[in-house]
Amino acid sequence: MNIYYLTLFPDMYEGVLGASILKRAKDKGIVDYHMINFRDFSGDKHNKVDDYPYGGGAGMVLKPEPVFNAMDSLDIGDNKRVILMCPQGKPFDQKLAEELAEEDNIVFINGHYEGYDERIRTLVTDEVSIGDYVLTGGELASMTMTDAIVRLIPDVLSNQASHQEDSFSTGMLEHPHYTRPREYRGMKVPEVLLSGNHKHIEEWRHEQSLKRTRERRPDLLDG
Ligand code: 6GU
């Protein structure tokens, strides 16, 4: 998979994409990350990327030229998802992560302004938000999405079973986990987990999952 980030702040990506599992996925040749500074595509002698809104009002608007020119430079044809990062987009969730994990090319368009010139939306297949709060720009949101997507690509995680049991893949939150020691500061590991009875362990985990989901996220159990 190739992932392209149209951004004015390419440096923001280095730490996140250059560490841990996202880095390992790249080192294994499963994914590649491309940061494109669309200021380089402004076509303007002052490298201007934003301007005042027609009709007046507060804030600046991202101009169409830098984004259209940067998109033209990609040369990846139609086989791509183009995601506009914006708080008004559809909410990102595990289902969308699973869908995007099957793509060959993903382009994230990251604004840092009050708004995008509306014509930019003609380039876009999806408008996505990562939650009901406002960030200063799309970069952190596109890195969050990248993390959720890349870990789902086959052979990125060593243990394939691990994401079939993820919270949200099962429709429920995960059950509690314990490791050694059996007792720590007076807190004991539940007896059933030490029993060796796999049927009882599975039942206990299922009950705990259900209990936790009911308490914390009853919305997940609707339907
Ligand atoms: Cl995608 N962008 C911005 N600027 N803020 C957000 C967001 C995106 N998702 C949630 N808040």
Side-chain angles (χ1 to χ4, degrees), residues 63-167:
K63 291 164 64 64
E65 299 94 321
V67 179
F68 275 78
N69 292 338
M71 286 296 287
D72 288 346
S73 79
L74 295 185
D75 204 28
I76 48 177
D78 293 335
N79 177 22
K80 60 182 187 288
R81 292 287 277 270
V82 180
I83 300 176
L84 189 72
M85 303 310 296
C86 109
Q88 295 89 24
K90 66 183 164 193
F92 184 56
D93 61 11
Q94 192 67 18
K95 185 168 163 288
L96 184 53
E98 283 164 11
E99 188 183 315
L100 291 172
E102 317 232 316
E103 297 288 337
D104 295 320
N105 298 291
I106 300 176
V107 184
F108 290 104
I109 303 178
N110 302 286
H112 258 262
Y113 297 90
E114 287 295 307
Y116 296 97
D117 184 286
E118 194 61 21
R119 292 164 288 194
I120 290 171
R121 292 196 153 83
T122 62
L123 296 168
V124 163
T125 58
D126 306 80
E127 282 188 44
V128 179
S129 158
I130 61 161
D132 292 340
Y133 40 83
V134 178
L135 302 170
T136 56
E139 284 79 6
L140 285 168
S142 64
M143 284 187 256
T144 299
M145 287 182 62
T146 298
D147 189 293
I149 294 163
V150 168
R151 66 185 288 285
L152 295 175
I153 302 172
D155 303 324
V156 168
L157 294 186
S158 35
N159 178 3
Q160 272 308 115
S162 67
H163 60 71
Q164 276 143 28
E165 289 169 21
D166 286 344
S167 295

Side-chain angles (χ1 to χ4, degrees), residues 42-57:
S42 65
D44 177 300
K45 64 175 184 275
H46 304 294
N47 296 332
K48 205 170 143 68
V49 294
D50 60 334
D51 210 337
Y52 297 101
Y54 277 122

